Amino acid sequence: MKKIYSLLSLFLIITSGYGQSKQTEKADKLYDGYQYVDAIDAYLKVVDANNADAYVYKQLADSYYNLFNIKEASTWYKKALETTQDAETYFRYAQVLKSEGNYDEANSQMDMFSKLLPNDQRAKAHLENPNYIPKLADITKTFNVEGVAINDGEQSDFGAVLSNDNILYFTSTRKTSGKEDAWTNQPYLDIYKSVRSENGDLSEPEEVEELNTIYHDGPLTISADGKTMYFSRDGHSTGDFKKIKSKRIKVAQQGIYKATMDEGKWGNIQALPINSKEYTVSHPSISSDGKTLYFASNMPNGLGDSDIWKISVSGDTYGKPVNLGSKVNTSGKEGFPYISEDNILYFASSGRQGFGGLDIFKFDLNENEESVNLGNAVNTNRDDFAFSVNNTLKVGYFSSNKSGVDNIYMAIPICQFETIAMVKDKDTNSIIAGASVTILDAQLNEITAQATDMSGKTGFNVSCENTYTINVSMDGYESASFKVKASEGENVIVNADLKPINEMITETEVKLKNIYFEFNKSNITNQGALELDKLVLIMNDYPEMKILVRSHTDSKGKADYNLKLSERRAQSTMQYVISKGINKDRLSAKGMGDIAPKIDCKSNCTEEEDAQNRRSEFLIVKK
C-alpha cells in the first residue's frame, strides 16, 4: 500500500510540474531574459486564471525583488512561503521585511535561512547578533536588563546605588535574626554593600553595621566623591514618634539622615531639618554637584499620595522643600527619585499610564518636557522602582517584584544619539522643506524615513554601536547619500546639500553615481534605486529622451562570465526604470563586460581602479 501511494504521489508531482511549466512558459522565458516588468504581467495572468501555485508566487516575488518593489515582493513572498522554499527565498523575504520595518518577522525568516544554510556567512552573522535591527529601530529602549547574583531570593533586596569607587549599596530584609516590623511581620530594613569588580561581578554582600539600627534603615544615596551619604531611617531609633494611647502603639515616620565617611567608616549621623513626626520624608537622591537633594514625601501641599520634592543643600544648611510639579507628580504615588549626572530624574509612579503597578519614568530637567516611561525592557505589570544609573561607570540598577519578591536587576545603558539632517540647496544655500530623508544601517537596511520640517531639518535617534547612512531626495534635486559620523552619545549634524537635478545632464549622457549591486548578483538594491530614481525624474522632464544603459565590470574573472554578468545588470537597471512608468521603447541596455575599462590597468588594477571600472553609463541616444 505504501509503495503504491508513493508512486501515485510521484506521478502527481511530475504531472503538476509539467502543467506548471506549460502555464508559465512565456513568463519564465521573460524572467530568464531579465524582462521583469513583462514577466510580472505574464505571471499575474496565471494568478488571475486561478492556476498559480507556490512556484508562480515565488517568481512574482523575485521579479518584484529584483526591481526593488518592496511592497509587492512582500505580498508574494508571504504567499510563496506558505509551502517550504529554498534558503535564498527565506533570506530575500527577510530583507524585504527589514525594509518594511517588520524586524521580528524578518528575524524569524533569517532563523529559517540559517537552519538551511548554517555555514553561510550571512547565517553566521545573523546567529551572532540576531537582534541588531530591532535595537536600532526601538528608540524607546534605552537599557538592556540583566539579573544580578547578590539577590537573597526570599527576602527583599532593592534600592541599589553604585558609587564612583565601585561600591554597590542597597537595602535588604535579609537579616532574619533581628527584630521584625509588627506592621508587616517582616525583618526590618538594613543597609548592605557589595564591591563591583572591573568585569562587573559583585562580591558577597556585607552589612554596613555602623548605619543600621534595630529599626528600618535605607534606602540611600551617595555623593559623587563617595564621602557623604543621605539615607532614610525609621524615627523609632531616635525617639521621634507619636504615641497613640488608645491603641498602645508608637507611630514613627521615615526621615532622611546624613552620614559622612571617616577612616573607612560611616559616622557623624545627623537628622535633616525637613523630617517630621506628621509625615514621611524618604528615598533621598543627591545631585552630582551636591547642591540639590531630591526625595519623596507625603508632606502637605503635594499633588497626590506621595510626591517628588527637592531642597537646596549648602554644607549643613538646607532650603525649603519645592514640589516638582505636575510634569513629575500625579494624584497617585511617586517615589524613589534618582538624579543622574546628566540631569535626568528617574522615579517610580503609579499615577501615570504604564504596564501595571509602579512603573519607572524619566524626566529630563534640561528640557522640562513631559515624563517618559522607560518601556517594557524595564517595566512589567508588577512593581518596578528604585532606578539608578552611574553614567561614569556606564551601568545602572533597579528593583522589581516581577519574580514575586523585590530583587535587584542590572540596567546597561544603550548608547544613543540623535543624528540631525539639515537639507539645503547647494547653489543657493536655501532651506529645503519636505525633503525625504531615509536612514539606513551598516548593511544598508532601511530603518525609517521622514520628511524635513519648515526649517529643513529632521532627526533620528540611533544607537552608538552601529554606523549609518542617510539618503536624501527631493523633486528637482539630485538625490544624495551621506555617512553619519560615529558618536559616543553626542548629537551629530549632517549637512545634506542637494544639487539641482538638471546639472546631471550633459550633451552625451546623464551622469549618475555608480549603481551598486550585491556581490555576484543583478537585483536592484536600495542604493541603486536611489540613483535610478533620478534618471526617472529626468526622463519624465524630457519626454523625448531615449537612453542606452551600458554596464561594465572590472577585469577580475573570466571575460565570458563578466559579459553575462554585465548584461544581467544592464537589463535589471533598464527594467527598474520601466517599472517606474517609463515607456520601454525609450530604453535599451547593453552589457560591456570588461572590454571598455575606464582605467586600462589590465591585471594590475588597484581596488580603487577596479571600483571605477565597475560602472553603469546612461548614454543619451535622443534628447
Side-chain angles (χ1 to χ4, degrees):
M1 185 66 181
K2 290 182 180 179
K3 184 176 181 181
I4 295 173
Y5 181 80
S6 299
L7 289 171
L8 179 59
S9 299
L10 180 60
F11 175 75
L12 290 172
I13 291 170
I14 293 172
T15 303
S16 174
Y18 176 78
Q20 170 185 283
S21 177
K22 295 295 291 184
Q23 292 162 2
T24 64
E25 187 174 353
K26 179 182 177 182
D28 291 343
K29 187 174 181 179
L30 291 166
Y31 180 91
D32 292 340
Y34 319 112
Q35 308 300 307
Y36 300 120
V37 176
D38 292 337
I40 287 169
D41 288 339
Y43 285 125
L44 287 174
K45 289 178 181 178
V46 178
V47 174
D48 292 340
N50 295 319
N51 291 323
D53 57 10
Y55 171 80
V56 174
Y57 300 146
K58 178 184 180 300
Q59 291 295 97
L60 268 170
D62 283 343
S63 297
Y64 283 116
Y65 180 87
N66 288 331
L67 295 173
F68 199 70
N69 187 329
I70 296 304
K71 182 179 179 181
E72 292 296 334
S74 179
T75 297
W76 296 107
Y77 276 132
K78 184 176 181 180
K79 289 186 70 66
L81 287 167
E82 290 175 359
T83 58
T84 302
Q85 294 289 344
D86 61 290
E88 199 66 26
T89 300
Y90 291 100
F91 177 80
R92 287 190 168 196
Y93 188 32
Q95 304 314 300
V96 167
L97 290 165
K98 289 175 186 177
S99 295
E100 291 183 310
N102 191 347
Y103 305 118
D104 288 340
E105 182 58 28
N107 270 356
S108 296
Q109 299 303 321
M110 283 301 295
D111 288 342
M112 287 296 299
F113 169 77
S114 300
K115 287 180 181 178
L116 293 170
L117 289 179
N119 295 320
D120 188 286
Q121 287 301 317
R122 295 168 294 176
K124 290 179 179 178
H126 167 71
L127 294 173
E128 288 173 3
N129 190 11
N131 294 310
Y132 79 98
I133 286 185
K135 288 178 183 176
L136 302 184
D138 186 5
I139 61 175
T140 63
K141 182 180 179 181
T142 51
F143 296 90
N144 287 322
V145 174
E146 297 180 8
V148 297
I150 61 170
N151 290 306
D152 178 87
E154 295 182 3
Q155 297 295 326
S156 291
D157 297 303
F158 67 94
V161 177
L162 183 64
S163 68
N164 287 332
D165 56 353
N166 268 309
I167 298 176
L168 187 74
Y169 292 93
F170 65 97
T171 303
S172 179
T173 60
R174 64 180 61 203
K175 189 177 179 180
T176 55
S177 59
K179 191 174 181 178
E180 288 189 348
D181 186 344
W183 292 89
T184 63
N185 293 323
Q186 296 292 319
Y188 278 97
L189 299 173
D190 285 314
I191 297 172
Y192 284 77
K193 68 177 181 180
S194 173
V195 179
R196 180 176 178 269
S197 66
E198 290 185 2
N199 63 7
D201 292 336
L202 295 169
S203 68
E204 184 67 25
E206 299 177 7
E207 182 184 350
V208 185
E209 295 182 359
E210 63 268 30
L211 292 176
N212 294 327
T213 65
I214 60 172
Y215 297 101
H216 289 304
D217 299 288
L220 58 103
T221 183
I222 299 289
S223 62
D225 63 7
K227 295 180 179 179
T228 303
M229 177 188 291
Y230 295 90
F231 65 100
S232 302
R233 172 174 280 182
D234 191 323
H236 281 109
S237 60
T238 54
D240 292 324
F241 52 79
K242 291 174 64 176
K243 293 182 179 180
I244 302 178
K245 293 182 179 179
S246 60
K247 296 184 178 180
R248 296 182 180 181
I249 58 173
K250 299 174 181 178
V251 178
Q253 303 287 348
Q254 286 269 302
I256 297 177
Y257 295 75
K258 175 184 177 182
T260 54
M261 180 72 75
D262 183 20
E263 296 183 356
K265 293 287 185 180
W266 293 103
N268 190 27
I269 298 173
Q270 302 173 8
L272 267 59
I274 57 174
N275 295 345
S276 172
K277 295 179 182 179
E278 304 299 326
Y279 50 80
T280 289
V281 178
S282 188
H283 307 168
S285 179
I286 189 70
S287 61
S288 58
D289 62 7
K291 295 181 179 180
T292 306
L293 182 71
Y294 296 83
F295 60 94
S297 177
N298 60 348
M299 65 175 58
N301 301 317
L303 301 183
D305 289 350
S306 62
D307 283 6
I308 309 296
W309 302 73
K310 68 177 181 178
I311 55 172
S312 60
V313 179
S314 179
D316 290 330
T317 302
Y318 303 91
K320 293 183 178 180
V322 176
N323 190 288
L324 292 197
S326 60
K327 289 185 177 179
V328 171
N329 296 313
T330 68
S331 58
K333 293 177 183 281
E334 278 73 43
F336 296 97
Y338 180 85
I339 185 68
S340 67
E341 296 171 36
D342 52 353
N343 224 24
I344 306 295
L345 180 74
Y346 297 91
F347 65 97
S349 173
S350 66
R352 295 181 173 275
Q353 287 187 333
F355 297 92
L358 288 171
D359 271 25
I360 299 168
F361 293 80
K362 68 176 180 179
F363 177 66
D364 190 339
L365 293 170
N366 303 306
E367 301 294 336
N368 200 33
E369 296 178 351
E370 288 296 326
S371 299
V372 177
N373 191 298
L374 286 195
N376 60 8
V378 171
N379 291 314
T380 67
N381 60 356
R382 304 296 292 274
D383 286 333
D384 309 286
F385 58 100
F387 189 97
S388 68
V389 61
N390 189 308
N391 295 87
T392 301
L393 299 175
K394 297 181 179 179
V395 64
Y397 296 89
F398 72 98
S399 307
S400 176
N401 66 358
K402 60 185 177 182
S403 68
V405 64
D406 295 337
N407 279 331
I408 297 168
Y409 296 85
M410 183 165 58
I412 303 170
I414 299 172
C415 179
Q416 294 183 333
F417 67 96
E418 184 178 19
T419 179
I420 303 167
M422 301 181 64
V423 184
K424 294 182 179 180
D425 185 301
K426 190 167 187 177
D427 292 345
T428 65
N429 203 37
S430 58
I431 289 167
I432 302 178
S436 176
V437 183
T438 304
I439 188 164
L440 302 96
D441 65 17
Q443 288 73 35
L444 300 182
N445 292 303
E446 181 179 321
I447 301 171
T448 189
Q450 51 203 42
T452 55
D453 60 19
M454 296 305 295
S455 64
K457 295 180 182 178
T458 190
F460 304 90
N461 290 325
V462 290
S463 168
C464 304
E465 299 174 357
N466 296 277
T467 57
Y468 305 92
T469 299
I470 283 179
N471 289 343
V472 186
S473 60
M474 181 66 181
D475 289 348
Y477 289 89
E478 176 184 349
S479 300
S481 296
F482 304 89
K483 291 291 184 183
V484 178
K485 293 181 180 178
S487 173
E488 289 298 322
E490 297 295 323
N491 290 345
V492 173
I493 295 176
V494 177
N495 293 308
D497 296 337
L498 300 184
K499 293 181 183 178
I501 202 163
N502 287 337
E503 293 182 7
M504 301 163 59
I505 305 173
T506 71
E507 286 299 316
T508 59
E509 66 178 310
V510 176
K511 287 188 172 292
L512 299 180
K513 294 179 182 177
N514 215 343
I515 307 301
Y516 291 102
F517 294 87
E518 297 177 36
F519 176 71
N520 201 27
K521 295 184 184 298
S522 58
N523 58 282
I524 299 299
T525 64
N526 190 310
Q527 292 292 83
L530 185 71
E531 287 300 306
L532 291 175
D533 285 342
K534 303 173 191 176
L535 180 62
V536 173
L537 286 172
I538 291 172
M539 295 189 76
N540 282 328
D541 288 343
Y542 293 83
E544 299 300 319
M545 179 181 285
K546 292 186 177 182
I547 293 291
L548 168 63
V549 180
R550 289 203 317 198
S551 292
H552 302 259
T553 68
D554 56 35
S555 57
K556 293 179 180 177
K558 294 181 179 180
D560 181 59
Y561 175 81
N562 285 340
L563 182 62
K564 291 179 180 178
L565 178 62
S566 66
E567 178 66 24
R568 293 200 305 271
R569 289 179 170 177
Q571 287 290 338
S572 291
T573 300
M574 182 179 74
Q575 288 291 305
Y576 177 85
V577 178
I578 293 171
S579 76
K580 293 296 182 177
I582 302 300
N583 191 300
K584 62 183 178 182
D585 294 335
R586 298 174 61 194
L587 291 152
S588 56
K590 184 175 180 60
M592 302 296 292
D594 57 14
I595 63 173
K598 185 176 183 180
I599 302 174
D600 192 9
C601 47
K602 296 183 172 56
S603 61
N604 297 316
C605 298
T606 64
E607 183 60 38
E608 182 180 348
E609 290 169 334
D610 277 333
Q612 291 187 56
N613 285 333
R614 293 191 298 267
R615 69 197 190 280
S616 292
E617 298 169 325
F618 301 88
L619 304 183
I620 299 174
V621 177
K622 178 183 177 183
K623 200 164 184 179

